Amino acid sequence: MTRYTTADIRVGDDFLAEVACIWEVSARKLGNVHPGAHFRDVTAVEFLLSAAAIRTAFRFPGHSSTGHLIKLAARETRSAVGTNTNLGIVILLAPLVSAITTVAPFRGAVSQALERLTIRDAQLVYEAIRLANPGGLGDAPEQDVRSEPTVTLLEAMKLAADRDMVARQYANGFADVFNFGVPAFTAALARFGCVEAAIIDSQLRWLAKYPDSLIARKRGLAVAEDVQQRAAAVLELGGIATPEGRAAGVALDRHLRSDGNTLNPGTTADLITACLFVALRENMVTPSAPFRWHVSDWL
């Protein structure tokens, strides 16, 4: 009988993508869906089902282009839950799971995956976006998703990079994820000793640094910048490390949920999921790491 050791087993990127999605929705983040807070039309269950759905789509990334992975994941999600729960996540994760690391370190392989994108990838992603039908989509002055693209997916993302943080990651080689988001998460993980607190802390830092794209699309840039200032004020009080910061965070959560969840910082949640995947993929954290943050004065 063949015997295997843990050294013989490599966890697949599809599993790590699912873990990243499960962690993101399970953490009690400000203004987002989690097991203790839902929106009128979606709960944490739909996000968990969506995590399982995209694992199916990402199971054999080497056999499909980035655009095909995104279209397949959007279709699997729509079939599983009937609504858009994860389009931004899928668009961010697809080039990360497509990266071929046999010829380059992970970050270099991601850059190569982006450079390989074609017009066909853009066509497939436009189809995925129309299928998901995300809220607050609006119109684009060039290469609008309701029309047929005439440029590569990377070029289309560069056109949208000034107004959308997901597109910006394609345009800058995921620099915000690698240079800001992953270090923010790992520093918080070392500080708090559990994944949930690290996710919440890094969410505050993302919100304080960048206006959330989804809020900006739905409510305007000025409203997104107001949320940015409120998150910075929470951090100035010590963030989740102090009772004062936690109280301010709870108040910010109430504010974000006060108007029919139109202040949901959904793009920030998507970016955090990408950071979690990178941290898992690069062995900065393991799927079995302690998760729950045990405090009595949080959400």
Side-chain angles (χ1 to χ4, degrees):
M1 183 177 67
T2 302
R3 294 184 181 276
Y4 296 97
T5 68
T6 54
D8 299 314
I9 303 170
R10 185 190 180 280
V11 173
D13 287 352
D14 58 323
F15 172 70
L16 299 181
E18 183 177 14
V19 171
C21 293
I22 290 171
W23 277 358
E24 183 277 319
V25 73
S26 298
R28 290 166 290 170
K29 301 191 316 307
L30 301 139
N32 292 151
V33 170
H34 58 76
H38 62 271
F39 294 166
R40 178 183 56 81
D41 56 346
V42 67
T43 72
V45 171
E46 282 76 33
F47 282 89
L48 293 170
L49 292 172
S50 302
I54 70 168
R55 182 179 181 183
T56 300
F58 288 164
R59 185 151 292 162
F60 303 107
H63 297 264
S64 303
S65 70
T66 293
H68 181 75
L69 290 176
I70 292 169
K71 174 72 179 293
L72 179 58
R75 191 169 63 210
E76 292 288 338
T77 299
R78 175 64 67 170
S79 176
V81 300
T83 189
N84 171 41
T85 50
N86 61 6
L87 179 64
I89 289 171
V90 165
I91 292 174
L92 286 167
L93 290 184
L96 298 178
V97 302
S98 297
I100 302 173
T101 55
T102 55
V103 294
F106 182 50
R107 186 168 181 176
V110 171
S111 296
Q112 292 175 3
L114 295 172
E115 292 296 333
R116 289 195 300 268
L117 296 172
T118 65
I119 293 177
R120 179 56 179 159
D121 286 308
Q123 292 171 337
L124 289 165
V125 171
Y126 280 28
E127 291 170 9
I129 293 171
R130 293 194 293 266
L131 176 64
N133 192 27
L137 186 58
D139 298 311
E142 296 181 79
Q143 302 297 319
D144 189 90
V145 298
R146 297 173 183 85
S147 60
E148 281 297 303
T150 59
V151 298
T152 71
L153 180 57
L154 180 58
E155 291 167 327
M157 290 295 190
K158 287 179 178 178
L159 290 172
D162 63 338
R163 63 181 183 274
D164 184 87
M165 284 293 291
V166 171
R168 174 174 156 135
Q169 302 319 300
Y170 278 66
N172 68 15
F174 282 71
D176 302 307
V177 167
F178 282 105
N179 296 342
F180 173 74
V182 174
F185 169 74
T186 55
L189 184 63
R191 184 181 185 187
F192 295 102
C194 64
V195 171
E196 184 182 28
I199 291 173
I200 297 165
D201 182 80
S202 58
Q203 183 206 26
L204 278 167
R205 296 183 189 281
W206 272 104
L207 288 173
K209 187 172 178 66
Y210 302 106
D212 185 87
S213 300
L214 181 59
I215 296 175
R217 285 199 300 274
K218 287 185 173 182
R219 296 290 302 277
L221 181 58
V223 174
E225 289 175 340
D226 176 70
V227 171
Q228 181 183 16
Q229 293 166 6
R230 290 170 186 261
V234 174
L235 291 175
E236 288 173 3
L237 291 171
I240 64 170
T242 67
E244 296 81 7
R246 292 193 293 274
V250 170
L252 177 54
D253 178 72
R254 286 197 298 268
H255 173 69
L256 296 176
R257 300 182 191 280
S258 63
D259 191 12
N261 297 308
T262 59
L263 297 181
N264 163 37
T267 301
T268 300
D270 299 339
L271 291 161
I272 288 170
T273 309
C275 294
L276 295 174
F277 175 81
V278 172
L280 286 159
R281 175 64 176 70
E282 293 294 270
N283 297 312
M284 299 172 185
V285 62
T286 65
S288 60
F291 182 84
R292 186 68 170 175
W293 182 38
H294 296 286
V295 290
S296 60
D297 57 350
W298 191 242
L299 310 177

